[in-house]
């Protein structure tokens, strides 16, 4: 069965700095897809960025980028130049052959002025 | 404007009653899903539909019944409600059904069962 582990429960940073959130996954699928979502204070779940397992290049979207280390089954999320509005809970998720998203427990990010 | 509309946003029910959670998506997507978020637990997959056809069901209880009257609608009927059903229920959609698809979520319905 697939599994996603986010070991950081919460992170606090000062705005305009860079933050990295860790995510380790388990899967037996040879092809799989990794996603990062954030959940805002209002409860809305927003898609941020994805990494397809067959792609070696790390995905980048705006000020979000991924650190994909396939041999370590790791997909870290990097947010550069953090803003107050980035404060949210960040979820890592994986989907393999079964087409179901398996989620981690999330990392709460607080960006302080 | 929200592209995936869930109604109501908040719902309070008594044990044993029945409720329907509404979901409509205006993204032109062919696949729709229900996920549940309970306290201290990861988001949990419940159902997936493609072109109004049930593709996968991970919900053991038959008390949870999805209903799709149109391709862009996927409601969730819950019968004989229990306090353990208290959670936020999220509807999601994707362009097509499949592992490579990115899911987009509605804002959720927070259900409290007393």
């Amino acid at each position: 069965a697939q599994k996603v582990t986010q070991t950081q429960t919460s992170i606090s940073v000062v705005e305009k700095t860079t933050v990295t959130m860790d995510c380790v996954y388990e899967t037996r699928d040879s092809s799989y897809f990794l996603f990062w979502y954030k959940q805002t204070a209002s409860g809305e779940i927003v898609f941020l960025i994805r990494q397809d397992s067959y792609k070696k290049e790390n995905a980048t979207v705006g000020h979000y980028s991924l650190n994909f280390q396939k041999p370590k089954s790791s997909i870290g999320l990097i947010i550069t130049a953090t803003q107050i509005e980035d404060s949210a809970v960040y979820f890592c998720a994986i989907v393999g052959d079964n087409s179901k998203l398996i989620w981690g427990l999330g990392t709460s990010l607080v960006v302080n002025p | 404007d929200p592209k995936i509309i869930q109604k109501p946003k908040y719902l309070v029910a008594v044990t044993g009653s029945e409720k329907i959670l509404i979901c409509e998506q205006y993204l032109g997507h062919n696949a729709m899903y229900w996920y549940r978020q309970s306290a201290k637990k990861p988001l949990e997959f419940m159902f997936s539909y493609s072109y109004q056809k049930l593709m996968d069901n991970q919900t053991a209880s038959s008390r949870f019944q999805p209903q799709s009257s149109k391709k862009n609608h996927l409601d969730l009927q819950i019968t004989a409600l229990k306090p353990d059903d208290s959670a936020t229920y999220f509807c999601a959609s994707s362009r097509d059904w499949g592992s490579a698809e990115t899911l987009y979520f509605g804002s959720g319905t927070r259900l409290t069962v007393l």
Side-chain angles (χ1 to χ4, degrees), chain A residues 31-33 35 37 39 41-47 50 52 91 95-105, chain B residues 9-10 33 35 37 40-45 48 56 58 90 97-108:
Chain A
S31 177
Y32 51 90
F33 306 88
F35 298 84
Y37 287 83
Q39 188 168 31
S42 66
E44 186 184 8
I45 298 175
V46 180
F47 165 70
R50 63 181 277 172
D52 300 346
F91 292 98
V95 62
D97 291 342
N98 59 15
S99 301
K100 290 186 275 284
L101 268 174
I102 304 300
W103 299 73
L105 283 171
Chain B
K9 190 167 179 62
Y10 302 99
Y33 311 79
Y35 280 78
Q37 187 176 38
K40 310 286 187 185
K41 293 183 182 178
L43 267 146
E44 175 190 11
F45 170 83
S48 64
D56 201 352
Q58 280 291 99
F90 287 95
W97 186 87
S99 300
E101 297 295 321
T102 297
L103 269 61
Y104 297 90
F105 286 79
S107 56

Side-chain angles (χ1 to χ4, degrees), chain B residues 9-69:
Chain B
K9 190 167 179 62
Y10 302 99
L11 190 54
V12 179
V14 296
T15 297
S17 66
E18 172 183 315
K19 292 293 180 185
I20 295 179
L21 282 55
I22 305 294
C23 178
E24 306 170 16
Q25 57 92 1
Y26 296 95
L27 293 165
H29 287 172
N30 300 313
M32 296 185 71
Y33 311 79
W34 279 101
Y35 280 78
R36 174 169 53 196
Q37 187 176 38
S38 305
K40 310 286 187 185
K41 293 183 182 178
L43 267 146
E44 175 190 11
F45 170 83
M46 299 180 73
F47 300 97
S48 64
Y49 269 66
S50 177
Y51 290 95
Q52 296 184 264
K53 178 183 172 183
L54 178 66
M55 301 302 290
D56 201 352
N57 176 0
Q58 280 291 99
T59 304
S61 173
S62 59
R63 295 186 299 108
F64 294 82
Q65 290 292 328
Q67 299 170 344
S68 181
S69 59

Side-chain angles (χ1 to χ4, degrees), chain A residues 27-71:
Chain A
T27 183
R28 293 182 181 176
D29 296 326
S30 57
S31 177
Y32 51 90
F33 306 88
L34 299 159
F35 298 84
W36 279 91
Y37 287 83
K38 78 173 187 181
Q39 188 168 31
T40 63
S42 66
E44 186 184 8
I45 298 175
V46 180
F47 165 70
L48 296 177
I49 190 170
R50 63 181 277 172
Q51 180 79 39
D52 300 346
S53 64
Y54 57 86
K55 293 185 178 179
K56 293 185 178 180
E57 189 172 318
N58 289 322
T60 297
V61 175
H63 73 147
Y64 302 108
S65 61
L66 297 177
N67 179 15
F68 181 39
Q69 299 183 59
K70 196 171 182 178

